[in-house]
Amino acid sequence: MSSANLTREETAARAAGIHLETVDVDLDLRDAPKTDAATFPAASTLVFAATVAETWIDFIGASVDDVVLNGVPQAVDWDGARVRISGLAAHNTVIVRGRGRYSSSGEGLHRFRDPVDDEVYLYTQYEPADCRRVYPCMEQPDVKARWRFTVTAPEGWEVLSNGPESARTPVDGGVRVAFAETLPLSSYITAVAAGPYHRVDGAWESAGHSVALGVLCRASLAPHLDAQEILDVTRRGLDYYGTAFAYAYPWGKYDQIFVPEYNLGAMENPGLVTFTESYVFRGKATAAQREARANTILHEMAHMWFGDLVTMRWWDDLWLKESFADFMGAHANVATGAFPDAWVSFASRRKGWAYEQDQLPTTHPIVADITDLEAAKLNFDGITYAKGASVLKQLVAFVGEEAFFRGAQRYFADHAFGNTTLADLLTALEASSGRDLTAWSDAWLQTTGMSEIRVERGDTRTLVQTAPRPHRLTVGLYAFEGDRLLRRARVELDIDAPRTPLSAPVLPDADLIVPNDDDRTYAKVRLDERSTDAVARGLSSIDDAVTRAVIWAALWNAVRDGELPVRRYVEIVSLHARSEPNVALLADAIVHTGFAISRYAREDDRAGLARSWLEVAWSALHAAAPGSDAQLAWARGVGAAASMTGERAADIGAFMRGETAGPAGLALDPDLRWSWLIALAATGHAGPVDADAELARDPSARGHSRHRTVLAARPDAGIRAAAWQAAWTDESLSNDHLDATIAGVRAGGRRDLIAAHDADYFARIRPVWSERSIEIARRLVVGLFPASESLVDVDAWLAANADAPASLRRLVIEQRDGLVRALRVRSAQSAG
């Protein structure tokens, strides 16, 4: 195993022998604008007490130039990942000087050149262990320090770090900026950003306490930055969390920066939160998009306490911050009044992610067994985030909201600036609620999989669950009044057995019975046959959006499990989606329908379903209210549907060229135009001339990425082969350009154009895993996995590569499972 892949055992040993006090970091980024600059000077001074004679400092850079221990120069002992230090005293000062590498993969110090104005932008991204790509450090969450940063950069640039700026000195070729010392932080949440960023300032005031706020993005995106809404959500969150957690925001300033080519949604660096630029909307954004951004802002803000103030000891307990932040993002969105329907989106999107992840053979307990950093990298998944948040939602119902937040307050008070495990949290919650949470923890946090819940009709109605767990849930009973489904009763109950009678003083006859009607618990809901018939007739007549979310999710899970034929699902969506008022539920139904047709429909049915679905989307687009969120959602749906069939290519092309009038109120913003153009290219109705014309219209960074996709998406086997080779071999591709290339290769689901490369895929994935960064390798392994009609090739690779890195095998096993599901669902429909 490479020494870069730190293990739980060795980092625990280092933490036991070292007490890190301070780290001074000095970076010189003045050469960043130069096209030939690949590296930068980086130096760290670490001050620590030791009870061991030797240790190591982590650094994955271009070079280590000198090491000084307690004033004495040392021979450099560096293997490319670890700098060995021996002869330690009781108290030590170690200086490591070297050169770091600029990144184009979004890991470490990412450098981006804006094609609009040729300006260069830098930002860091570290979780779980890429701080060591930028400056020497001790890369583990339970070795915290007070950090002092000094960054030299070109004159006129914004230069930022976790703390507020404390001094600025002109130097030759730029400016040297020093930042105030931080409170104790783990290395993975330290941060630096630099470049000619556009900045909007604000402030949050509360009871005489003031926090400086900043919202930043690239200069070329400044016209699209709705900073005031972002600041409003930020102020609401700071108002709420300080009171809810009984602990004032501790990190001084609060900058939020939207950065290019970002691998994540956001990252909770104290005082300098980074976000994907996807949250800077270049055209009209739906309420669901704005809600998702607010959710992310509030998720990252929750981390200022859950994760930053109190940090997990090791990545086994990653959920201690991510599950809480995921829960708090939705909870605070509702509690602050920012977006009161946030739990509807949570039921559809976050839980949907969790349900899919939890049915994979690689699922794991929320409290996972993470032996090393490679495993940690792949554990940022639907279990750690969304299942954990779903389980916490149930826990809040179990102990009571007031007791839950009293427990959180105690947790922060007892462990501020420290590191914790599951036991510490349970102790705080048990003290606040008076409940023994051992059984709850065993059932929910330390097991895998999920229950399936359904109601069995007969002389009595019985709630049946597989994989029994304790649930507190609500069952809704609905009956038709005319064409409307109205709730006639709700039954609340606690269950933990496989079968529980559904009893109440009066149980009306019900056309529709919905287990988990209010989405309180975490379980896969299965509707009985009569209920499915009722939903097919009256789903859109149900008033409660959360209930509709539960039903939409139940239908989608039934499709994925082969219980509901794709054709019937398409019919239900076609009838009811155009009347769905919640745009998040509408958008999810549209996306799921396209996926169902491309992945789960029988091959003989696929073309016909694709054509009929495009007609539904096209009709709904024209019928939607002008300028509405629904109109935009259907317009995006048209783009996805048109990539599978060229039936509307002439109409789409004419509208894009301005030859015909499109739907009233629909603004063809750049992102929508590119999605339609990619669809046209995938069906052979657009080529390089069209791509070049669109790039001239939109020469932005995103435009350049989409241009690449259009060129690769053309339905020609030679073109797809060239894009395939570029994806694997062109190491100049940034993370975004690699994604764009992969999207072109896979465009339109044209298996016939790329099936010849299956053997090449399996020959390449192990070498690419060892030669490229894990982020780039992951995109290739997942994005280019063959969607074949057979398991022979993947099973042969797994058998021949039993000794491959566990993280690589996990990805292949997960992709295999998706293929198995698709083949099984298609087969079930053929048999039907």
Side-chain angles (χ1 to χ4, degrees):
M1 183 181 68
S2 165
S3 69
N5 190 17
L6 301 171
T7 68
R8 178 175 54 200
E9 286 72 20
E10 61 188 347
T11 55
R14 178 164 65 175
I18 296 293
H19 175 67
L20 186 60
E21 298 168 6
T22 61
V23 182
D24 285 83
V25 174
D26 196 324
L27 302 176
D28 189 343
L29 309 176
R30 280 175 289 183
D31 287 346
K34 297 179 180 178
T35 56
D36 60 347
T39 67
F40 55 89
S44 293
T45 301
L46 300 92
V47 177
F48 57 92
T51 57
V52 292
E54 63 179 38
T55 190
W56 79 93
I57 293 168
D58 302 293
F59 186 55
I60 302 176
S63 67
V64 172
D65 301 326
D66 61 282
V67 177
V68 179
L69 170 62
N70 296 327
V72 179
Q74 307 288 303
V76 174
D77 182 1
W78 179 58
D79 64 2
R82 306 186 191 195
V83 181
R84 298 284 178 181
I85 308 292
S86 58
L88 296 177
H91 197 264
N92 303 275
T93 299
V94 174
I95 302 171
V96 180
R97 299 185 183 92
R99 298 190 72 88
R101 289 191 180 91
Y102 292 112
S103 164
S104 61
S105 68
E107 302 156 296
L109 181 60
H110 188 86
R111 180 174 59 176
F112 172 84
R113 188 176 299 275
D114 192 335
V116 174
D117 54 18
D118 205 40
E119 295 285 4
V120 168
Y121 293 87
L122 307 174
Y123 65 87
T124 57
Q125 171 56 37
Y126 296 155
E127 192 172 36
D130 287 325
C131 177
R132 57 194 172 146
R133 295 183 184 276
V134 184
Y135 34 85
C137 63
M138 291 187 178
E139 189 77 280
Q140 58 191 87
D142 61 341
V143 175
K144 291 188 171 184
R146 295 175 180 267
W147 297 73
R148 294 184 290 260
F149 285 88
T150 303
V151 180
T152 306
E155 181 66 40
W157 277 19
E158 287 278 351
V159 185
L160 306 102
S161 187
N162 301 92
E165 183 178 314
S166 60
R168 180 174 287 250
T169 308
V171 295
D172 185 31
V175 61
R176 185 172 173 82
V177 182
F179 297 90
E181 182 180 271
T182 72
L183 294 168
L185 289 177
S186 304
S187 59
Y188 77 91
I189 46 178
T190 61
V192 170
Y197 286 99
H198 168 76
R199 180 183 182 96
V200 177
D201 287 306
W204 172 70
E205 309 281 347
S206 178
H209 182 56
S210 180
V211 173
L213 308 179
V215 180
L216 301 96
C217 70
R218 286 186 289 128
S220 64
L221 282 178
H224 308 292
L225 181 68
D226 46 344
Q228 294 312 311
E229 179 169 314
I230 294 165
L231 288 169
D232 175 64
V233 173
T234 303
R235 293 185 183 105
R236 288 171 185 258
L238 289 170
D239 282 340
Y240 177 72
Y241 284 133
T243 300
F245 298 151
Y247 200 111
Y249 173 73
W251 305 109
K253 71 180 177 76
Y254 201 92
D255 286 330
Q256 297 173 101
I257 185 167
F258 295 82
V259 297
E261 298 187 324
Y262 201 49
N263 289 331
L264 307 176
M267 182 64 201
E268 67 267 20
N269 316 305
L272 182 56
V273 185
T274 42
F275 294 85
T276 172
E277 280 185 347
S278 298
Y279 287 133
V280 179
F281 307 123
R282 300 197 301 161
K284 176 179 167 56
T286 66
Q289 288 175 279
R290 293 169 48 242
E291 177 197 301
R293 181 177 65 188
N295 190 298
T296 303
I297 291 170
L298 295 168
H299 173 121
E300 303 309 323
M301 190 179 293
H303 277 311
M304 300 299 130
W305 290 265
F306 282 112
D308 295 355
L309 180 66
V310 181
T311 311
M312 72 269 158
R313 185 165 298 158
W314 179 248
W315 301 101
D316 307 71
D317 282 309
L318 174 64
W319 80 280
L320 275 176
K321 69 186 188 75
E322 295 302 347
S323 296
F324 274 89
D326 219 44
F327 168 78
M328 290 304 306
H331 179 85
N333 234 347
V334 175
T336 64
F339 288 91
D341 287 340
W343 286 120
V344 178
S345 302
F346 181 89
S348 180
R349 296 183 170 181
R350 305 307 283 180
K351 278 195 169 179
W353 181 27
Y355 292 149
E356 293 188 13
Q357 189 86 43
D358 214 5
Q359 294 176 83
L360 292 172
T362 55
T363 189
H364 56 84
I366 294 171
V367 181
D369 181 25
I370 302 300
T371 58
D372 57 42
L373 284 179
E374 279 200 2
K377 180 76 172 179
L378 297 183
N379 214 45
F380 291 77
D381 59 18
I383 303 300
T384 301
Y385 284 73
K387 181 180 180 179
S390 303
V391 166
L392 285 177
K393 186 181 181 186
Q394 189 195 44
L395 176 62
V396 173
F398 180 61
V399 303
E401 186 172 317
E402 184 178 337
F404 176 82
F405 279 100
R406 282 201 311 270
Q409 292 167 7
R410 181 184 183 120
Y411 179 71
F412 296 131
D414 289 349
H415 301 289
F417 305 107
N419 297 86
T420 58
T421 64
L422 167 63
D424 300 307
L425 175 68
L426 294 183
T427 296
L429 291 174
E430 287 177 339
S432 68
S433 66
R435 288 180 176 266
D436 183 349
L437 296 179
T438 304
W440 178 86
S441 174
D442 289 346
W444 286 107
L445 300 181
Q446 300 182 19
T447 60
T448 62
M450 61 183 169
S451 306
E452 179 182 296
I453 297 181
R454 59 187 172 86
V455 172
E456 196 175 83
R457 299 189 194 238
D459 294 336
T460 61
R461 296 172 204 171
T462 304
L463 197 66
V464 179
Q465 70 159 322
T466 62
R469 287 184 175 83
H471 300 268
R472 180 158 184 79
L473 55 79
T474 301
V475 178
L477 295 95
Y478 297 77
F480 277 106
E481 185 174 300
D483 289 328
R484 292 182 60 78
L485 278 168
L486 301 179
R487 185 186 293 128
R488 297 305 188 197
R490 256 186 171 178
V491 180
E492 293 194 20
L493 66 165
D494 293 301
I495 66 170
D496 58 14
R499 301 177 66 83
T500 305
L502 193 62
S503 60
V506 177
L507 277 178
D509 184 47
D511 296 300
L512 167 64
I513 302 177
V514 185
N516 199 25
D517 188 47
D518 57 359
D519 197 48
R520 188 184 312 182
T521 196
Y522 174 81
K524 182 164 63 173
V525 169
R526 185 76 79 213
L527 300 176
D528 66 272
E529 185 175 354
R530 183 178 172 187
S531 293
T532 301
D533 290 342
V535 165
R537 174 183 164 194
L539 171 56
S540 55
S541 71
I542 297 172
D543 290 332
D544 192 313
V546 171
T547 298
R548 294 198 309 276
V550 171
I551 293 170
W552 279 119
L555 293 172
W556 176 235
N557 279 315
V559 174
R560 294 186 72 247
D561 293 342
E563 298 286 335
L564 181 67
V566 171
R567 184 174 295 280
R568 192 173 191 209
Y569 179 73
V570 174
E571 290 170 353
I572 294 172
V573 176
S574 299
L575 179 62
H576 293 290
R578 66 181 70 204
S579 300
E580 174 54 65
N582 184 285
V583 71
L585 297 183
L586 169 60
D588 289 351
I590 292 171
V591 169
H592 288 159
T593 302
F595 192 89
I597 293 170
S598 64
R599 288 285 280 168
Y600 298 142
R602 293 188 320 129
E603 186 174 356
D604 291 346
D605 294 340
R606 201 168 298 148
L609 284 170
R611 286 193 297 270
S612 64
W613 174 240
L614 175 57
E615 288 308 305
V616 168
W618 186 258
S619 172
L621 166 62
H622 286 78
S628 64
D629 283 359
Q631 183 188 57
L632 183 55
W634 283 112
R636 292 167 178 166
V638 164
S643 71
M644 294 186 285
T645 176
E647 296 297 313
R648 286 285 178 178
D651 298 308
I652 293 171
F655 180 28
M656 291 185 66
R657 292 188 296 271
E659 297 168 359
T660 60
L666 179 65
L668 272 178
D669 62 53
D671 291 337
L672 184 57
R673 290 184 61 89
W674 279 115
S675 73
W676 283 11
L677 188 62
I678 290 167
L680 293 178
T683 58
H685 294 90
V689 172
D690 306 288
D692 292 348
E694 199 62 36
L695 185 61
R697 178 192 289 267
D698 176 30
S700 68
R702 193 170 301 177
H704 279 266
S705 291
R706 300 300 184 269
H707 181 267
R708 187 178 294 270
T709 300
V710 171
L711 295 182
R714 290 170 289 165
D716 177 278
I719 290 171
R720 298 287 179 102
W724 174 277
Q725 290 296 322
W728 293 103
T729 63
D730 186 353
E731 296 191 17
S732 71
L733 294 177
S734 69
N735 48 358
D736 270 15
H737 285 179
L738 176 60
D739 276 352
T741 304
I742 291 172
V745 171
R746 302 302 295 265
R750 291 292 302 273
R751 170 76 185 152
D752 57 311
L753 298 176
I754 58 175
H757 305 298
D758 289 1
D760 189 50
Y761 171 89
F762 289 107
R764 287 185 183 275
I765 55 176
R766 190 157 182 180
V768 84
W769 194 263
S770 64
E771 295 164 6
R772 306 292 295 275
S773 75
I774 192 170
E775 182 63 38
I776 295 297
R778 183 191 63 79
R779 292 172 190 236
L780 289 163
V781 171
V782 173
L784 293 175
F785 181 84
S788 70
E789 297 295 324
S790 167
L791 300 173
V792 171
D793 289 343
V794 64
D795 286 348
W797 186 91
L798 287 168
N801 289 273
D803 62 338
S807 47
L808 171 58
R809 286 183 58 85
R810 171 179 170 169
L811 291 179
V812 175
I813 289 168
E814 289 179 350
Q815 297 310 301
R816 179 191 185 277
D817 187 73
L819 178 58
V820 168
R821 181 179 292 273
L823 296 176
R824 183 175 64 243
V825 173
R826 291 177 212 155
S827 177
Q829 292 179 93
S830 298

